[in-house]
């Protein structure tokens, strides 16, 4: 995502502590205590300006949602949306996905959404892809045993890499679409990037879970 410096983003994030938490690197925050009503918890990693999580939280009132994004200048847009149109089952977190297992306990998350994750096309940047094995290890730790990852992208190379990475990790695929908008869009919530890029080619989607206890 192209970043423009947004004036005062950091200050505005600090002021809105009821809606968003800023988690600097190497710091911990009990994000799992943000909601204590016992509802299932779903998180989006790399949420950008938050359109997807905002719509999802409005649609799924019986579930709590946390939208995670690493840049102030991007998540400030999600914060503005949440201030204009409050949704009490959505919370924002400004932090890096690398910190996930510092603040989500083991077996606490019901679903992880990865939408249009940055493709990092150069081989030397492979470890930054959010479907790299290093991230899968963290997802496995925080997801409940029956939890799933839902991933969509317009980037074929990233999709191929992700299938290989998840397969190599031993994950079980529950759904794969090579053209989501043709196959099944009834419940689909369109993200900002999806809106922009679905005109130019297919959207790929997969749903997968970790193998637990040998099944
Ligand atoms: C291409 S955008 C997609 C935004 C949104 N999910 C959508 O579909 O419109 C990817 C977003 O992921 C964020 N991101 C990339 N790596 C991340 C990481 N390690 N932790 C948190 N956010 C990350 C980027 O800053 C960017 O806003």
């Amino acid at each position: 995502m192209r970043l423009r410096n947004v004036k005062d983003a950091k200050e505005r994030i600090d002021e809105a502590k009821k809606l968003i938490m800023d988690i600097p690197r190497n710091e911990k925050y009990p994000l799992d205590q943000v909601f204590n009503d016992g509802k299932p918890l779903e998180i989006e990693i790399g949420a950008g300006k938050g359109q997807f999580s905002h719509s999802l939280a409005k649609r799924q009132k019986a579930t709590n949602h946390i939208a995670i994004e690493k840049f102030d200048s991007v998540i400030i847009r999600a914060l503005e949306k949440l201030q204009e149109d409050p949704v009490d089952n959505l919370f924002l977190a400004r932090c890096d996905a690398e910190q996930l297992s510092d603040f989500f306990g083991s077996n606490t998350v019901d679903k992880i959404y990865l939408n249009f994750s940055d493709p990092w096309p150069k081989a030397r940047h492979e470890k930054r892809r959010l479907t790299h094995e290093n991230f899968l290890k963290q997802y496995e730790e925080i997801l409940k045993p029956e939890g799933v990852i839902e991933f969509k992208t317009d980037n074929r190379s990233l999709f191929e890499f992700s299938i290989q990475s998840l397969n190599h990790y031993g994950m079980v695929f529950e759904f794969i679409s090579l053209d989501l908008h043709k196959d099944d869009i009834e419940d689909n919530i369109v993200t900002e990037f999806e809106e922009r890029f679905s005109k130019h080619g297919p959207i790929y989607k997969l749903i997968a879970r970790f193998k637990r206890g040998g099944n």
Side-chain angles (χ1 to χ4, degrees):
M1 178 175 283
R2 257 179 86 82
L3 295 178
R4 256 184 325 114
N5 201 17
V6 178
K7 205 169 158 266
D8 302 336
K10 179 88 180 82
E11 290 75 10
R12 285 156 63 197
I13 288 170
D14 286 345
E15 279 163 19
K17 286 195 181 351
K18 281 204 175 121
L19 302 174
I20 183 168
M21 187 62 210
D22 184 36
I23 309 173
R25 265 189 187 277
N26 304 318
E27 284 197 22
K28 290 183 192 283
Y29 180 80
L31 250 192
D32 51 347
Q33 288 170 25
V34 169
F35 300 112
N36 48 18
D37 52 13
K39 290 181 187 171
L41 177 63
E42 302 192 350
I43 66 176
E44 184 188 8
I45 304 173
K49 298 177 187 170
Q51 174 173 307
F52 175 85
S53 283
H54 196 267
S55 305
L56 184 68
K58 281 174 89 168
R59 186 190 284 183
Q60 292 186 5
K61 286 291 190 190
T63 312
N64 290 323
H65 298 265
I66 296 178
I68 296 166
E69 164 58 47
K70 75 174 169 182
F71 290 116
D72 294 347
S73 53
V74 181
I75 204 165
I76 189 73
R77 302 300 175 212
L79 177 60
E80 287 165 354
K81 209 181 309 229
L82 195 52
Q83 286 168 328
E84 273 163 33
D85 183 6
V87 192
D88 61 9
N89 57 332
L90 174 63
F91 188 76
L92 308 175
R94 208 270 342 130
C95 68
D96 196 302
E98 287 177 13
Q99 301 165 256
L100 282 183
S101 42
D102 283 345
F103 49 77
F104 286 107
S106 298
N107 302 325
T108 52
V109 176
D110 291 84
K111 197 183 273 194
I112 295 176
Y113 295 95
L114 302 171
N115 292 320
F116 297 78
S117 308
D118 292 333
W120 293 108
K122 291 185 180 147
R124 70 172 190 275
H125 292 145
E126 193 180 293
K127 287 188 177 163
R128 298 184 190 176
R129 297 176 195 153
L130 292 180
T131 48
H132 186 274
E133 181 188 357
N134 293 352
F135 285 110
L136 297 182
K137 277 185 198 145
Q138 291 202 69
Y139 306 156
E140 183 177 28
E141 176 68 24
I142 66 172
L143 272 175
K144 292 181 184 167
E146 67 284 4
V148 294
I149 294 177
E150 287 203 21
F151 169 62
K152 44 182 184 172
T153 180
D154 63 316
N155 187 299
R156 190 178 166 108
S157 304
L158 179 65
F159 195 67
E160 286 172 0
F161 168 85
S162 303
I163 290 201
Q164 282 171 16
S165 176
L166 272 60
N167 184 48
H168 188 253
Y169 202 88
M171 292 185 72
V172 178
F173 294 93
E174 295 190 341
F175 175 85
I176 293 184
S177 171
L178 299 179
D179 195 342
L180 180 66
H181 288 206
K182 271 205 188 126
D183 286 351
D184 174 18
I185 51 166
E186 210 174 290
D187 293 329
N188 188 47
I189 293 178
V190 176
T191 79
E192 282 107 356
F193 269 65
E194 187 167 356
E195 221 161 62
R196 233 197 279 171
F197 292 108
S198 54
K199 307 178 192 83
H200 305 298
I203 301 302
Y204 307 99
K205 176 170 178 175
L206 64 81
I207 302 177
R209 65 181 169 81
F210 292 96
K211 260 189 208 164
R212 312 275 175 114
N215 55 1

